[in-house]
Amino acid sequence: MTTTLTRGRPGADTVRTRTPRRGGHLRRALARNLRAHAFLIGALLCFALFTWYPMVREIVMSFQKVRYGETHWVGFDNFRQIFADPEFWPAWRHTLEFTGIALFFGFVAPFVTALVINEFRHAQSYLRILVYLPVMLPPVAGILLFKYFMDPGYGLFNQILSFLHLPTSSWLASQDTAMFSLVIVSTWANMGSATLVYLAALQSIPGELYEAAELDGAGLLRRVWHVTVPQTRLILSLMLMLQVVATMQMFTESFVLTGGGPQGSTTTVVYMLYNYAFNFDKFNTAAALGVVLLLVLGAFSALYLWLERRGGEE
């Protein structure tokens, strides 16, 4: 609001109050916000179409059956069928086995790699590219490369072991080593992203903390345990949850390298879901198995968030 003085008759001043036009500002604000909301609505529509709709559709399909081209509601029959399947519990055991081994290597290896790269001062850019290179490769191409490396006869790994006069391995052809071989491939293919996340977290730690620890006589391991780990605890816990969710959905490595074998030793829950849908044409049963996996991962995520909130309050 602006006030102006105008002169009327001589000797008298007239005060006139001028109110700014609010319509112009309102129109400009609406136009600016409409453009921003248009981009936001587009992203939400894509997210709803390609994420939420398939999820809701899967839940609906898990309670249905298709007979002679007609859809019928069958309640929990699909869930009873998957629980009665003799491969159901072994698939969960294989999934948990893969998750446990993959977390041991896939959680520790990227963090240690990030610690080593962080110590370099002049070659970090090249090392970051080198570590992230497997992530940029097409997943199937990288996995097929390891299938050649792990061939029991002419594979590169066994040739190296023979050259070093060490016992060779059957790798993917043995029930004892097949799961461990899948963990090696998965860790190599996916550790690049986690390494860069850890490296960014390490570089955000104030250098004064390390200097104070060195003045107190702390060695490398003590500096990592008492400075690095506490300062990156939030990132470590978040990456732990994301890696658990990702490893429990392992499919590509098992599908390309072993086909669920040998003798079903690498058949995971997601691979079993694939068999239901595309080998047995039981899409409703596959949807029920997907809902079970969704509930398990949702329960784990809820437990993680509850523990994090409780730890933050303490």
Side-chain angles (χ1 to χ4, degrees), residues 61-78:
M61 287 179 60
S62 67
F63 297 98
Q64 295 176 335
K65 277 286 188 183
V66 178
R67 297 191 183 98
Y68 306 107
E70 296 183 359
T71 302
H72 304 275
W73 292 92
V74 295
F76 291 94
D77 286 354
N78 293 318

Side-chain angles (χ1 to χ4, degrees), residues 40-310:
L40 179 61
I41 290 173
L44 289 176
L45 287 176
C46 290
F47 189 77
L49 180 62
F50 295 107
T51 302
W52 286 105
Y53 172 73
M55 189 181 301
V56 174
R57 181 62 179 156
E58 178 187 34
I59 295 173
V60 173
M61 287 179 60
S62 67
F63 297 98
Q64 295 176 335
K65 277 286 188 183
V66 178
R67 297 191 183 98
Y68 306 107
E70 296 183 359
T71 302
H72 304 275
W73 292 92
V74 295
F76 291 94
D77 286 354
N78 293 318
F79 294 92
R80 297 188 187 98
Q81 182 177 348
I82 61 172
F83 280 106
D85 192 328
E87 295 184 0
F88 178 75
W89 295 112
W92 275 105
R93 186 176 68 251
H94 299 153
T95 300
L96 294 176
E97 178 184 356
F98 177 85
T99 300
I101 302 175
L103 281 179
F104 180 78
F105 290 97
F107 189 70
V108 175
F111 188 68
V112 174
T113 304
L115 288 173
V116 173
I117 295 177
N118 193 49
E119 294 299 320
F120 287 85
R121 292 294 179 264
H122 304 289
Q124 283 195 14
S125 299
Y126 302 103
L127 292 174
R128 284 197 296 262
I129 294 174
L130 184 64
V131 169
Y132 196 71
L133 184 62
V135 181
M136 295 186 287
L137 293 176
V140 175
I143 292 173
L144 288 176
L145 182 65
F146 268 86
K147 188 173 185 179
Y148 169 77
F149 289 162
M150 293 180 174
D151 188 274
Y154 55 82
L156 177 64
F157 289 169
N158 275 349
Q159 291 185 16
I160 294 175
L161 292 175
S162 298
F163 178 78
L164 297 174
H165 302 288
L166 296 174
T168 59
S169 173
S170 299
W171 300 108
L172 301 170
S174 172
Q175 297 184 54
D176 298 328
T177 57
M179 188 64 74
F180 182 72
S181 301
L182 296 185
V183 170
I184 294 176
V185 178
S186 177
T187 302
W188 174 84
N190 300 305
M191 68 177 290
S193 300
T195 301
L196 294 187
V197 172
Y198 293 142
L199 186 59
L202 291 175
Q203 293 179 346
S204 66
I205 301 176
E208 294 81 2
L209 297 178
Y210 290 107
E211 293 175 2
E214 290 180 1
L215 291 175
D216 290 340
L220 175 61
L221 294 179
R222 292 186 62 186
R223 291 199 302 269
V224 170
W225 182 253
H226 293 287
V227 178
T228 305
V229 173
Q231 291 295 316
T232 58
R233 187 189 67 83
L234 181 61
I235 296 296
L236 288 172
S237 61
L238 178 61
M239 293 298 293
L240 176 63
M241 185 195 73
L242 294 178
Q243 289 190 23
V244 169
V245 173
T247 53
M248 289 193 69
Q249 299 179 72
M250 188 273 290
F251 169 74
T252 307
E253 292 84 354
S254 179
F255 178 76
V256 176
L257 291 176
T258 62
Q263 299 182 5
S265 59
T266 58
T267 298
T268 61
V269 174
V270 178
Y271 191 86
M272 185 179 177
L273 188 152
Y274 169 84
N275 284 333
Y276 272 132
F278 299 103
N279 289 335
F280 308 144
D281 292 328
K282 297 180 178 180
F283 290 95
N284 300 100
T285 310
L289 183 56
V291 171
V292 173
L293 181 61
L294 173 66
L295 293 175
V296 171
L297 294 180
F300 168 77
S301 301
L303 177 62
Y304 164 81
L305 293 175
W306 179 75
L307 291 175
E308 281 294 309
R309 188 178 298 112
R310 185 176 180 181

